[in-house]
Structures are given as structure tokens and as C-alpha cells.
Amino acid sequence: MYKIIQTTGGVCASQGFYADGISAGLKKDNALDMAFIYSENECEIASVFTTNKMYAAPIKHFRAKGDFKTNFVLINSKNANAMTGQAGLEDIDEILSNCSNVTNPIMSSTGVIGVRLPKEKLIDGMKKFDFSKREASKASKAIMTTDSFSKEIALNIKLDDGSSFSIGAMAKGAGMINPAMATMLCFITTDANVSKQEMQEILDEVTKTTFNAISVDGDTSTNDTVLLLSNSKSGAYERESFKEALFKVMHFLALEMVRDGEGATKLVTYKISGAKDDREAEIVAKTLSDSLLVKTALYGEDPNWGRIASTVGASGVEAYEEKLKISFDNYCVYDRGVLNFDEEMEKKCAIVMGHKKFTISCDLGVGEGSFKSYGCDLGHEYVNINADYRT
């Protein structure tokens, strides 16, 4: 057996990792806007990127490297370096050429699309970096865009033989969140002695039920990135415990993104069961978490279960009116053709929808497939934030 213990330190919790956030003048009022992650040892890298065909220059730059190790990641907010063509790639090369004492540096960016990077500010900003700093919280703040709070977590995993390893992470994301490798940046560090192949396999699997199971507004970004870096410094590893700990880290950060959805007031779990198979359950769950009609009903705390039923039917999976069951938390409003939605039940469900967290369950009554997705409501503040995003 093993024990997973929550600890502190974010991306610096793992042995041999350092991080900090500084102000390079990209944001107003001297706000933190540029960060780094540095490792004493070179790291194996596992990665997952956006499914958006217009993926940004940092992702193109990473993919062009092929198979490589690194010990340095440079991250900037405010500017996505997306839709910038060959010039965007050349800008990355010029900026990273100013990194000293690092191996195969990586760059990751988030912010406005279609604007060249302010190279001089970033190059000057790197002169402020101190690779002995363990300021994970500052780094997590520096990568924020429309986030209202920073997102970080760290776990220590103690194995039966007395050895241990750690996993630490930070992420940003609040808008343009869609379950197709949700719009976000996430950087995960570990000192586990895990192979690149096994690390990639586990990351791909865990992504399906974490970052690929959340939605704020149904839009998929150009810059979605998850990087998992392992420097093997602890010498310890065990697959089952590593996978469980990685799931805990990514699941926590995924829900934090939904909780911080632009203008969001509610975190909703869509629990689908009884589908023909798991894939059809996933389709229903994600269709519900993406639906604007459902999201606006959530915001208005209106238990309009007809929108749920309609969205299930529109998802295209095998579903039947006489087999469907819909519940708000423990209150069943529609039970395989029987209406349970009287005035009293409506009041109970409205109270449920007034909570900050609740679950909408749909049993399709067709098979054994199941899946959970996570979403939030959509209200006036989302429009306000995104109407003024560039300015």
C-alpha cells in the first residue's frame, strides 16, 4: 500500500525544482506576468495539447523539437503568440536564445491572439530570474489571465518500502474552457523515477476524466497545454500510486478552473449512467456541460429539466423517453416516463440550484456506460469580461 499526503510548495514541492514569477511589464500596475520552472536535472517530458487546428506558436515550437529533455520552462501571460506565423516561431527562438545555463528551453504563452510577443520586455524580464528561488505561488499568479485566483497543489506519495516521491502543479484557466483538451495551461513537476513512455500513457489516460471533462463556455483555445516534467531525483516510483496521485492533482485543478469560470457562480457535476457504453455517456455529459440553454438555466436557478431532456436527446446517442431518469441531487424529477415535477418538487430543486455545488444525474436506462463531466453557469459577468478582453 501507499499513502498520498497533501503538502505545500506547488511546482517546487518535488526535489530539484525551482520557480518564480516576476513582472516584465506585460500587465498593468506592475502585476506578475512572467514565470519560470527550472530543474537541477534534465527532465523527461509528457505532454497534451489543444485539439484546435490553429494551435499557437509555442506548441508548434515544442513539436518541432522532436524527442528531447529539458530543464527550463518559460511562461508568459497577456499574449498568446497565436496566429503569428513564422514570425511567432522566430520570436520564441530569439527569446530562448537569451536563456543561459539551461537545456532545450520550452516556452508557453497565454493571452490575446494575433499579437506579436513583446520580445524586449520578455528578454529583460528574464534577467530578473533567480534559479535558486522556490516561489511557486508567485509563478502560479504570474500565469493568470482572467483567473480570479491562482491554482496550485502538491502531494507527497509514501511507498511501503519507505521511499517517497512528490507531484506538484500549477494551472491557469477560467475562460475558453471546452472539453477538447480544455483551454488552459498546466505545469506538473515530479521527482518520481518514471519513464517517459509510462508517464505519457498515464497522462493521456488521466486527462480524459479531468481536463477533458470540464466546460465553462464551450470554446477551445489555441494554446491549451499540459506539461508533465520528471527529473527522477527521488529515485522512487510505483505505477498505481503515481496514477492515483496524478489524477488527484489534475482533478483538483480541473474543478478549480470550472469553479473560477468567468462570471461563474456554480460548479455542476453531470453524472451520466445507463448509457450504451462509456463513450456515449461521455458524449451526453459533455453536451450537457456545453449547452448554453442549460448554463443559463443554472444561472437563473431555474430547474427547467426539459432543457436537460432535450439536450440528452440532441446529443445523438441512443436514448429513449420511456427509459430516461433525471435528478437534481437526490430529487428525481422525471422517472422513465413518469413526471415527478409538481410545485413542491420545483421548490426543492430550485433550492438545490441555489447551492454553489450540486449534481445533475441522467440515467439513460440503456446499458452500463457511465461518465462524469463538470461545468458551470453562464451569466452577465461572462459577457462583461469577454466584451472587454483585449482592452
Side-chain angles (χ1 to χ4, degrees), residues 4 153 155 243-253:
I4 299 177
I153 185 175
L155 301 177
K243 181 179 176 181
E244 182 178 342
L246 186 63
F247 173 81
K248 286 180 180 291
V249 165
M250 293 169 62
H251 186 258
F252 170 80
L253 293 172

Side-chain angles (χ1 to χ4, degrees), residues 210-224:
T210 56
F211 296 133
N212 271 1
I214 59 176
S215 175
V216 169
D217 49 20
D219 278 312
T220 302
S221 167
T222 54
N223 291 60
D224 305 341

Side-chain angles (χ1 to χ4, degrees), residues 332-350:
C332 178
V333 297
Y334 182 82
D335 190 0
R336 298 178 172 87
V338 178
L339 300 177
N340 295 330
F341 198 66
D342 55 17
E343 186 175 341
E344 182 180 354
M345 179 63 79
E346 182 172 1
K347 289 178 180 178
K348 290 178 179 178
C349 292

Side-chain angles (χ1 to χ4, degrees), residues 109-128:
S109 303
T110 181
V112 175
I113 294 170
V115 180
R116 294 276 297 278
L117 287 171
K119 292 182 295 186
E120 293 76 14
K121 288 183 177 181
L122 293 170
I123 292 169
D124 287 343
M126 285 193 295
K127 296 174 183 177
K128 301 178 184 179

